[in-house]
């Protein structure tokens, strides 16, 4: 039973523009949401998290927004850089979404 | 600072063969996990361990076994390899439990790509 879903397998943006990666969840009991970043031939690495009592968490170029009523969160990267090209996973309570491949074009 | 180390990186098995995927961490983490990732899918939890001598099933444990004799090591055993077990396997660790009501991130190894033919 997939409780965390990322419906966009891929996203392509231009360098310097904003990247928005989306994630939906079904379990309203989730307390925390995490984003991981994964480069090819490497394991995922933790990027940023947000508590369910907040609606926004910011860390440098990365901001995560949480909309509890819609059971939706998004990761914003601005400005996007070519080095941000990777697969991004959304996770909650140890459940992972399918991932979104972000490609940032120079 | 090695973190989580997985060996081998790649392996091809024949149907019915057995093998052990190795995982070691040097961060003194109590919690360790095994995931598999199939193409276009998220990570699925196979087994996890909350400490030496204690293991528990995840979402997809069938066809696998684990043991945790030390804090550092968490090997995953495939006894009778089947084509459905072709996947990329990730081992992870965390100082606190990363499931349930937790914001604890996991530290991942670089994965083992396993093909069963």
């Amino acid at each position: 039973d997939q409780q965390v879903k990322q419906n966009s397998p891929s996203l392509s943006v231009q360098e310097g523009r904003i990247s928005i990666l989306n994630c939906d969840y079904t379990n309203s009991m989730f307390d925390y949401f995490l984003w991981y970043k994964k480069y090819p031939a490497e394991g995922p690495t933790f990027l940023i998290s947000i508590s369910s009592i907040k609606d926004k968490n910011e860390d440098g170029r990365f901001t995560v927004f949480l909309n509890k009523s819609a059971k939706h969160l998004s990761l914003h990267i601005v400005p996007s850089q070519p080095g941000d090209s990777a697969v991004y996973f959304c996770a909650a309570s140890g459940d992972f979404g399918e991932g979104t491949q972000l490609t940032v074009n120079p | 600072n090695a973190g989580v180390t997985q060996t081998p990186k790649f392996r091809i098995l024949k149907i019915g063969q057995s093998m052990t995927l190795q995982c070691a961490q040097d961060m003194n983490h109590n919690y360790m996990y095994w995931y598999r990732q199939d193409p276009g899918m998220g990570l699925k939890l196979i087994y996890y361990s909350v400490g030496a001598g204690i293991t528990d099933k995840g979402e997809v444990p069938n066809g696998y076994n684990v043991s945790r004799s030390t804090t550092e090591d968490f090997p995953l055993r495939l006894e009778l390899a089947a084509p459905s077990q072709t996947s990329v396997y990730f081992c992870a660790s965390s100082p606190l439990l990363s499931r349930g009501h937790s914001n604890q991130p996991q530290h991942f190894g670089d994965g083992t790509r396993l093909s069963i033919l």
Side-chain angles (χ1 to χ4, degrees), chain B residues 1-92:
Chain B
N1 187 6
V4 178
T5 303
Q6 291 184 239
T7 56
K9 293 190 183 301
F10 305 96
R11 184 73 183 268
I12 298 175
L13 284 182
K14 293 182 179 179
I15 295 171
Q17 285 186 318
S18 62
M19 78 162 293
T20 299
L21 282 67
Q22 301 292 345
C23 175
Q25 54 94 6
D26 62 359
M27 296 171 283
N28 201 33
H29 288 172
N30 283 326
Y31 299 89
M32 296 187 75
Y33 316 81
W34 273 106
Y35 294 89
R36 59 177 287 172
Q37 185 191 14
D38 300 324
M41 305 292 287
L43 283 73
K44 299 294 185 185
L45 184 66
I46 305 171
Y47 271 94
Y48 67 102
S49 170
V50 301
I54 306 171
T55 63
D56 210 346
K57 295 179 180 179
E59 301 171 73
V60 290
N62 292 343
Y64 307 95
N65 281 299
V66 293
S67 59
R68 185 95 183 271
S69 57
T70 66
T71 299
E72 294 78 19
D73 300 298
F74 190 39
L76 178 72
R77 178 86 176 160
L78 282 72
E79 290 294 350
L80 290 170
S84 61
Q85 293 177 304
T86 294
S87 190
V88 181
Y89 291 83
F90 289 101
C91 179

Side-chain angles (χ1 to χ4, degrees), chain A residues 18-68:
Chain A
I18 186 171
S19 297
I20 301 176
L21 295 95
N22 295 305
C23 177
D24 296 297
Y25 62 96
T26 58
N27 190 341
S28 59
M29 300 300 290
F30 285 150
D31 287 341
Y32 297 96
F33 303 89
L34 295 84
W35 285 92
Y36 290 82
K37 177 179 181 179
K38 182 186 178 304
Y39 291 118
E42 295 183 9
T45 55
F46 171 70
L47 184 59
I48 190 170
S49 65
I50 188 168
S51 165
S52 62
I53 65 173
K54 295 186 174 182
D55 55 17
K56 176 182 174 181
N57 188 29
E58 188 173 355
D59 183 2
R61 296 185 297 114
F62 302 90
T63 302
V64 56
F65 295 92
L66 175 62
N67 182 334
K68 288 182 64 178

